[in-house]
Amino acid sequence: MRFHFFILLILLPGCGTNPDKPYSDTPTSGKAQMAADETLLPLIKAQVDTFHGLYRYAKINMIYKSEDDIFNLLLADSAKVIVATRKLNSKEEAYFKSRNLIPVTTKVAIDAMAIIVNKSNPDSLFTLKQLRQILNGEVNTWKKINASSKLQNIAFVFDQNGSSTVRYLQDSLLSNKSFPEWCFAAKSNNEVIEYVETHPNAMGVIGVSWISDEDDSVVRGFLSRIKVAGIARQESASVDDYYKPYQGYIAEKSYPLIREVYMISREGRAGLGTGFVSFVAGDQGQRIVRLNGLLPATMPVRLIKTQ
């Protein structure tokens, strides 16, 4: 209750603010440049569009870049707020401390990485060990996954160098080792989907918000073109041990490839960046997180068991 009261205090005063006043911005008016991890684009675009619809004097210029790029923008003060899947590291904290700045980090969601394969591929269930073997170079053909497969060499594609996807895979599955030659970068999550769609031997990894909102016609189009894989934690898994990145399985941690989403603000005052962070972390923003298939950070998700 106190949290929502705080949000109300921040957001309400600016609803009718005139943007022509001499000061630059308030929590609900003015202009500000922010940046978000490109793997989160569908979710953050929905948040920005809704915020603009509610506060007509607010203009957020949201830039979608790789993880390395958005943190560089934050350090250079070219983005007052970033949306990322990690917190500041020790070097970045030291940088801000040397300038007497204390960025504010707010957890807003729990995200997942989705593994996708071509629509015609009969193999769409993988254990974590198999993923690890593909990414570390031990397994390079589909026949090593399934002896009866008619496909040849595996092509594994991710979004771009310097992305949160690359860091996540290296940290969680590779112990910071390099990828083999059959793993390569596209330029975006959209291009990963396009590559997997047109190459039967390909598999890829994308942010789950690109394919989780089935009410969205674009998402339905994506899902008609590729297949989302099920992942099992244990090596000897039955069919029931494989989980897809559905919201309920993210919530109960049955799906293994999950990560947290943070908004990091260097604004240091009650400006538009603070207002937007408060909106996303508040009731309406958390509902948008839930509708986009991610797990809200501050709102419980009801799990319904189906037959």
Side-chain angles (χ1 to χ4, degrees):
M1 180 65 77
R2 290 180 183 174
F3 178 77
H4 295 305
F5 180 66
F6 171 72
I7 301 296
L8 200 61
L9 286 176
I10 287 180
L11 294 182
L12 286 182
C15 290
T17 305
N18 187 329
D20 295 325
K21 287 186 177 180
Y23 49 81
S24 58
D25 62 295
T26 75
T28 55
S29 69
K31 297 180 181 180
Q33 182 158 287
M34 306 180 200
D37 189 317
E38 193 264 343
T39 64
L40 302 168
L41 187 155
L43 169 66
I44 303 307
K45 184 178 184 302
Q47 297 281 5
V48 172
D49 289 348
T50 304
F51 190 82
H52 284 163
L54 291 171
Y55 306 107
R56 59 194 181 97
Y57 294 129
K59 176 57 180 175
I60 296 171
N61 177 27
M62 186 64 72
I63 301 171
Y64 298 96
K65 295 280 190 179
S66 71
E67 179 175 271
D68 286 355
D69 287 341
I70 66 172
F71 275 92
N72 287 335
L73 289 170
L74 185 71
L75 292 170
D77 199 19
S78 297
K80 294 297 183 183
V81 174
I82 64 170
V83 190
T85 60
R86 70 167 175 85
K87 298 179 180 179
L88 295 169
N89 60 34
S90 57
K91 186 178 292 187
E92 291 156 351
E93 287 178 341
Y95 173 86
F96 285 115
K97 186 176 181 180
S98 71
R99 284 155 178 76
N100 296 316
L101 293 171
I102 305 176
V104 177
T105 300
T106 305
K107 179 180 171 181
V108 294
I110 299 176
D111 182 33
M113 303 305 301
I115 303 298
I116 59 174
V117 295
N118 186 271
K119 200 78 174 176
S120 65
N121 193 333
D123 297 308
S124 60
L125 299 177
F126 306 97
T127 65
L128 280 178
K129 181 178 180 180
Q130 287 173 322
L131 284 179
R132 206 173 276 116
Q133 290 173 326
I134 292 168
L135 293 172
N136 68 19
E138 293 179 49
V139 171
N140 63 349
T141 69
W142 284 104
K143 288 188 178 297
K144 290 182 179 180
I145 298 291
N146 176 3
S148 63
S149 177
K150 296 180 181 180
L151 298 173
Q152 299 300 316
N153 294 336
I154 295 171
F156 191 97
V157 59
F158 48 85
D159 50 356
Q160 55 188 304
N161 291 312
S163 75
S164 60
T165 303
V166 171
R167 177 185 56 79
Y168 179 87
L169 293 174
Q170 289 182 322
D171 289 352
S172 61
L173 295 176
L174 289 182
S175 301
N176 293 313
K177 294 179 182 177
S178 298
F179 293 109
E181 61 183 10
W182 57 84
C183 298
F184 59 95
K187 295 180 181 178
S188 67
N189 281 249
N190 190 31
E191 290 197 16
V192 173
I193 294 170
E194 290 177 353
Y195 187 90
V196 171
E197 178 195 8
T198 54
H199 293 76
N201 66 320
M203 64 189 305
V205 57
I206 58 175
V208 75
S209 69
W210 284 84
I211 52 169
S212 55
D213 182 5
E214 294 189 27
D215 291 330
D216 187 299
S217 60
V218 175
V219 170
R220 290 198 301 272
F222 286 155
L223 291 172
S224 70
R225 293 156 50 193
I226 50 89
K227 194 185 299 184
V228 180
I231 310 296
R233 290 183 182 276
Q234 58 267 48
E235 184 177 345
S236 299
S238 66
V239 174
D240 292 337
D241 295 322
Y242 292 88
Y243 295 93
K244 293 186 178 183
Y246 299 149
Q247 197 171 57
Y249 298 144
I250 296 171
E252 62 185 24
K253 297 184 178 178
S254 300
Y255 186 76
L257 305 178
I258 60 176
R259 59 188 187 171
E260 296 180 336
V261 179
Y262 303 95
M263 298 184 76
I264 305 173
S265 173
R266 61 169 292 160
E267 195 170 53
R269 62 183 182 84
L272 187 56
T274 301
F276 185 58
V277 173
S278 297
F279 172 80
V280 177
D283 182 73
Q284 195 155 6
Q286 291 295 283
R287 290 178 187 275
I288 294 171
V289 170
R290 187 180 66 188
L291 290 171
N292 275 263
L294 279 70
L295 188 67
T298 62
M299 177 184 292
V301 171
R302 194 169 139 216
L303 301 181
I304 301 174
K305 297 292 184 182
T306 58
Q307 298 298 325

